[in-house]
Amino acid sequence: MTPKKTVLPKKAKPAAKKPVAKSAVKPEKKSVAKAAPAPLVSENELLMQSLRGMRDILPDEQPYWERVRRSLSTAAQDYGFQRIDTPTVEYLHLFVRSIKEGTDIIDKEIYSFQTRGGDRVALRPEFTAGIGRAYIQHGMSVLPKPIRLFSMGPVFRYDRPQEGRYRELWQGDFEVFGEADPILDAQVMQVAYRVVRELGLKDVEFQVNSIGTPESRKRYEKALVRFLESQKHKLCQVCRERLTTNPMRILDCKEDKCVQLTSQVPQALDFLDDESRAHFKSLLEYLDELELPYSINPRLVRGLDYYTRTVFEIWSTDREGKKYALGGGGRYDNLIQELGGEPTPAIGFGLGLDRVVLEMKRTQVRPYEFPKPRVFLAQLGDLAKKKSLRLFSELEKHGILTTESFGRGSLKAQMRVAGRLGVEVTIILGQKEALDGTAIVKDMVSGTQETVTQERLVDAVKKILKTNVTLAHPPVKSEK
Ligand code: HAM
C-alpha cells in the first residue's frame, strides 16, 4: 500500500518561534481544537537531518563524553549522591510552577505540547523540577537527611542555536534535600569543582551571590525597579516590559545597553536579611577553607525563579571570545513546599555537558581511551564460523577483549585486519580445528603458534598476554 502523502506547504515556519508560555499555561481544554488536523509529516521532516539545535553525538566524539560520564558518576559516588532517573516528559504545570513565568525558559524556550489524551506536557528544560516532583511523590522526606540525588541526561530548550547553545543539551545534575546549612552549599560547589578539574579544565572560577529570602528579594526588586524606572529609556524593549513582569531578569539581559546600565544598579547583597547575610558569610568562609576560586558577582540572579539565598555559576576563565557558564546552581529552600511537599531546604547544581566537552576539546584535554582488543578471532569454513561465535562468547566471559571479522571469508583478509588492529594474539579456527575441537593460537609478537584444545584456549591466550590481560570487564561468574 502506498502511504498517503501529507506534505506541508514549503515555507511552513516552526510554530514555536513565538513565546509559547502564554498559550501553554492556559487552562486545559477538554476537547482538542477544531481546526483542520495538521499534516503528520512536513516536507522538511523528510530530509534525513536532525532538528536544528539537536545533534548526533557520533562514535568519534564518544571518548570525550565517556570521560565526562565517568567523572560525574565517580564524583556522585564519592560524595554520596544516589542516581535517580526521571522521565523526559512531565506535566507542563510542574515546570511553570517551579521555574515560573517571566523567565526565558518558560516564556520562550519550553517545548510543550498536548498529548492525544489532552494532557499539557513538556520536555524537561532542566532536572531540578522533575527530581523535586519525584522527591515528593515517593515520600523521600522520611529518609535520613540530607538526601543526595544525581542524574544525567538530555534536557530541551528552544534557544537560538549556536556553538555551546543547543536545543537538546546534556546536563549532569546534583541535588541535596533537607539541609539548610551553608556547608552543603560549599560541598555542592566542591563537587562541581572536583568534576571540572578532574576533566582537566584548569582555568575555572565560580561566581557567587546571595539573593536572600523572598522577602529580602522583594525589597531588592523594589529598589531595582525604582532605579531602572528612572533610566527606562536606556533599556531594551524586552527589559522595559520586564520592569513590570520580572525585573530581576533584566540583570540577565545580554543586550549591550542593558549590560551597561545594570552595572550601576543597587546590589542584592545590600538588601539581605540578617540570616541570609550570615548564611552567605559562612558560605564564603567555607569556600576559602576549600580554596575554591570564586568571585562575588552581585548581579548574578540566575535564569530560574526558584532560587533563594545562594546562587552560583562556574565559568571557564580563559576563553577567548565567547564566554559561557559551564554550570550553575543554587539554593531553593521553598520549592518543595511550593510544589506541595513538606518545607524542605535544598541546594543543587547542573553542569552543561556539551559546553564541558567543547572546553575539553578547546584546551586539548585527553579523551577517555576505550580499551583496545588484544585478541583477534579468525575462522575459515562454515563449521568454524559457527564454533567461533561460541568461542568469542567464552573469551568475553573471561573478560578477554576480542575482536573478529566474521563477515569475511578469506583467512588472508582476516589476518590483514588482525595486523592492522595490532592485536597480540590471533586465534585461528579452520575446518580441521573445528572438527577436532582445537584452535591455533598465534603469538603475533614472536610469530610462534601452537594448537590447543578449545577447553585450554582461554589459558593459552592468557599465557601469551601474561598478567596484563585487557579485561573488558571482570570475568563473569555463572550462577549456580
Ligand atoms: P542552568 O544554569 O539553566 O541551571 O543550566 C545549567 C547549565 O546548562 C548551564 O550552566 C549551561 O552550561 C548549560 N546550558 C544551559 N542552556 C544551554 C544550552 N541551550 N545549550 C548548551 N548548554 C546549556 C539549571 O538548569 C538548574 N536546574 C541547575 C540547578 C540544579 N539548580 C539547582 N539545582
Side-chain angles (χ1 to χ4, degrees):
M1 206 176 81
T2 329
K4 217 165 121 193
K5 205 173 174 199
T6 45
V7 175
L8 270 186
K10 251 196 173 155
K11 289 257 160 85
K13 291 235 167 78
K17 274 227 156 135
K18 287 182 225 140
V20 291
K22 286 212 174 88
S23 61
V25 291
K26 270 186 193 162
E28 285 190 16
K29 284 191 187 139
K30 278 280 168 245
S31 64
V32 182
K34 295 237 167 55
L40 285 179
V41 179
S42 83
E43 206 168 61
N44 287 343
E45 290 161 26
L46 295 175
L47 298 173
M48 283 300 113
Q49 233 174 353
S50 58
L51 293 182
R52 203 161 112 77
M54 301 195 180
R55 311 163 301 142
D56 301 308
I57 303 172
L58 297 174
D60 268 3
E61 219 190 333
Q62 289 296 339
Y64 288 98
W65 286 83
E66 184 63 14
R67 188 161 169 193
V68 173
R69 286 190 286 261
R70 282 171 180 259
S71 278
L72 285 167
S73 298
T74 45
Q77 218 172 352
D78 294 350
Y79 282 82
F81 286 79
Q82 287 184 296
R83 173 101 191 200
I84 182 168
D85 288 301
T86 59
T88 319
V89 185
E90 300 265 5
Y91 285 113
L92 170 64
H93 208 58
L94 171 69
F95 301 116
V96 177
R97 275 183 67 178
S98 5
I99 303 165
K100 306 245 167 75
E101 286 179 81
T103 61
D104 279 356
I105 295 184
I106 295 300
D107 289 358
K108 298 188 197 158
E109 296 171 1
I110 195 142
Y111 279 86
S112 61
F113 58 97
Q114 190 160 337
T115 63
R116 285 171 191 262
D119 292 325
R120 297 203 64 87
V121 299
L123 303 187
R124 63 180 176 204
E126 55 119 37
F127 279 96
T128 314
I131 295 180
R133 192 259 319 129
Y135 176 90
I136 299 168
Q137 182 178 340
H138 302 287
M140 290 191 216
S141 60
V142 299
L143 300 173
K145 311 235 178 21
I147 297 147
R148 295 177 165 95
L149 299 173
F150 153 70
S151 201
M152 180 173 15
V155 304
F156 302 84
R157 297 182 185 181
Y158 198 82
D159 213 335
R160 186 151 13 113
Q162 51 188 284
E163 194 199 35
R165 201 169 280 285
Y166 307 104
R167 289 182 175 167
E168 182 182 34
L169 57 126
W170 286 69
Q171 285 188 348
D173 190 85
F174 293 75
E175 310 289 353
V176 182
F177 295 96
E179 186 53 75
D181 195 303
I183 194 161
L184 268 300
D185 306 35
Q187 197 185 39
V188 157
M189 291 171 74
Q190 187 182 20
V191 178
Y193 193 63
R194 140 92 190 258
V195 172
V196 292
R197 283 308 304 263
E198 195 183 77
L199 289 172
L201 306 181
K202 294 194 188 79
D203 301 313
V204 287
E205 190 194 67
F206 286 101
Q207 292 188 8
V208 57
N209 193 19
S210 175
I211 52 174
T213 59
E215 294 72 37
S216 60
R217 191 174 151 155
K218 259 190 208 117
R219 277 203 306 277
Y220 173 59
E221 264 180 6
K222 252 191 192 159
L224 186 67
V225 171
R226 207 175 309 125
F227 176 90
L228 290 173
E229 278 287 358
S230 65
Q231 317 268 331
K232 200 171 167 175
H233 58 285
K234 295 185 187 160
L235 288 172
C236 73
Q237 187 52 42
V238 178
C239 284
R240 277 182 220 169
E241 280 163 32
R242 283 178 175 148
L243 262 178
T244 46
T245 55
N246 195 343
M248 297 280 266
R249 292 274 70 76
I250 298 175
L251 302 180
D252 255 358
C253 183
K254 306 287 178 297
E255 293 283 329
D256 282 348
K257 52 188 186 176
C258 298
V259 172
Q260 249 178 25
L261 186 59
T262 51
S263 63
Q264 304 152 30
V265 296
Q267 302 190 355
L269 288 176
D270 294 331
F271 294 81
L272 289 186
D273 54 287
D274 290 345
E275 266 187 58
S276 296
R277 193 187 308 278
H279 191 275
F280 190 52
K281 187 168 167 281
S282 305
L283 168 63
L284 299 185
E285 284 166 9
Y286 289 127
L287 296 184
D288 290 335
E289 177 65 28
L290 289 169
E291 297 184 27
L292 294 189
Y294 72 88
S295 61
I296 298 171
N297 176 354
R299 270 163 287 280
L300 180 68
V301 287
R302 308 262 305 125
L304 306 100
D305 257 13
Y306 47 61
Y307 291 115
T308 49
R309 295 195 171 151
T310 310
V311 284
F312 69 87
E313 284 181 347
I314 183 159
W315 287 74
S316 97
T317 50
D318 190 32
R319 206 180 157 84
E320 325 86 36
K322 272 228 159 65
K323 277 194 164 199
Y324 28 54
L326 298 176
R331 196 159 261 294
Y332 48 98
D333 290 345
N334 299 329
L335 180 64
I336 297 298
Q337 191 175 17
E338 277 173 20
L339 291 178
E342 291 170 18
T344 309
I347 167 101
F349 84 95
L351 195 64
L353 306 188
D354 307 80
R355 292 184 185 178
V356 165
V357 167
L358 273 177
E359 205 52 21
M360 286 168 72
K361 287 183 179 168
R362 191 187 70 82
T363 54
Q364 296 181 355
V365 166
R366 261 191 318 115
Y368 177 76
E369 271 183 45
F370 286 99
K372 286 200 178 65
R374 293 168 67 191
V375 177
F376 188 89
L377 179 55
Q379 35 70 40
L380 195 65
D382 286 346
L383 185 62
K385 198 167 179 175
K386 254 185 234 155
K387 297 267 177 208
S388 50
L389 259 186
R390 197 182 52 75
L391 282 188
F392 188 97
S393 108
E394 196 60 28
L395 292 157
E396 177 269 316
K397 266 192 223 143
H398 285 83
I400 299 171
L401 205 55
T402 305
T403 187
E404 38 63 37
S405 189
F406 283 159
R408 275 170 219 238
S410 103
L411 190 59
K412 214 167 152 194
Q414 293 181 62
M415 293 309 278
R416 256 205 311 273
V417 177
R420 214 174 38 237
L421 292 172
V423 292
E424 289 151 67
V425 178
T426 297
I427 300 164
I428 304 161
L429 200 66
Q431 196 72 0
K432 179 177 175 298
E433 289 77 22
L435 284 168
D436 284 1
T438 58
I440 300 168
V441 180
K442 178 168 182 178
D443 182 331
M444 299 291 275
V445 180
S446 67
T448 56
Q449 62 181 57
E450 61 170 330
T451 301
V452 299
T453 61
Q454 287 175 14
E455 289 73 47
R456 276 205 51 239
L457 181 66
V458 168
D459 285 340
V461 170
K462 279 187 176 171
K463 203 169 121 203
I464 301 177
L465 295 177
K466 305 218 173 64
T467 46
N468 49 351
V469 175
T470 300
L471 293 176
H473 51 71
V476 178
K477 287 199 187 94
S478 50
E479 288 190 18
K480 291 265 158 71

